[in-house]
Amino acid sequence: MSRTPHILLVATASVALVAGCGSDHKSATPASTSAAAKPGTASLYGTYERDVTKADIERTDKARSEAGPNQEKPKPDHVVLTIAEGDPQGTITATGSDGFAIAMDMNATSGGKLDLPSYVNPGKGGGAFCGPEIPTPASYSWKLNGRTLVLTPHKDLCADRDSTLTGKWTRR
């Protein structure tokens, strides 16, 4: 994971809003499940947690590249995942126990598809799972059963993101 000189502090109930296509991200506002949520995705929004284990990290070792600047292999950690509604798109933020957070724009469908097209504020205090040599976009599936969210990768070339996001998350 790339750690920039400034740590992005993200409150678990905040979301970066995008003003419009091609615009920079604007100030944060509380997450909600208002009528603006895409049909069938409102239940996805919330805060989850899980322990990223040594086995999670080792599972992706063959695909891992730490060649970029400030790259290091992730360590086992307790991670909080915040999935927040936004306009025009939501965000997904993974925050480690040290407060280091990585936020990505996301688009979710009621059919269980989760696309992660870009990082929020990369290089401007925001972190990234992988360096610039690894493509940013990723695609996952999501399934919510009670308080358990399961994320499964469909296309993710970033081993650090895969090892962090893939698995069972428990809603707080």
Side-chain angles (χ1 to χ4, degrees):
M1 287 187 231
S2 178
R3 292 183 182 260
T4 57
H6 303 284
I7 294 177
L8 173 65
L9 298 177
V10 178
T12 56
S14 69
V15 58
L17 290 180
V18 177
C21 184
S23 299
D24 288 336
H25 287 80
K26 301 297 179 188
S27 63
T29 58
S32 69
T33 55
S34 69
K38 292 180 185 175
T41 63
S43 63
L44 177 63
Y45 301 116
T47 303
Y48 303 85
E49 60 188 341
R50 85 178 194 99
D51 290 321
V52 176
T53 66
K54 182 177 178 183
D56 291 320
I57 297 162
E58 289 174 349
R59 176 182 55 79
T60 60
D61 272 349
K62 290 180 183 172
R64 182 165 283 104
S65 169
E66 305 298 346
N70 301 315
Q71 293 293 302
E72 60 185 52
K73 184 176 180 176
K75 295 171 181 55
D77 196 6
H78 183 79
V79 178
V80 173
L81 188 71
T82 303
I83 302 176
E85 180 183 358
D87 183 17
Q89 62 191 20
T91 58
I92 186 167
T93 304
T95 306
S97 61
D98 63 356
F100 182 72
I102 300 173
M104 293 194 74
D105 295 315
M106 62 150 237
N107 296 300
T109 68
S110 60
K113 186 174 180 185
L114 180 69
D115 288 326
L116 306 172
S118 57
Y119 288 107
V120 175
N121 295 323
K124 299 176 185 173
F129 284 104
C130 287
E133 74 283 359
I134 305 294
T136 299
S139 179
Y140 283 74
S141 66
W142 67 273
K143 184 172 182 171
L144 189 60
N145 186 7
R147 294 180 51 232
T148 303
L149 171 66
V150 177
L151 295 179
T152 306
H154 281 276
K155 182 180 178 187
D156 194 348
L157 299 176
C158 175
D160 293 354
R161 179 176 46 214
D162 183 334
S163 62
T164 301
L165 296 183
T166 298
K168 292 181 181 181
W169 295 83
T170 303
R171 187 184 298 266
R172 283 184 155 180

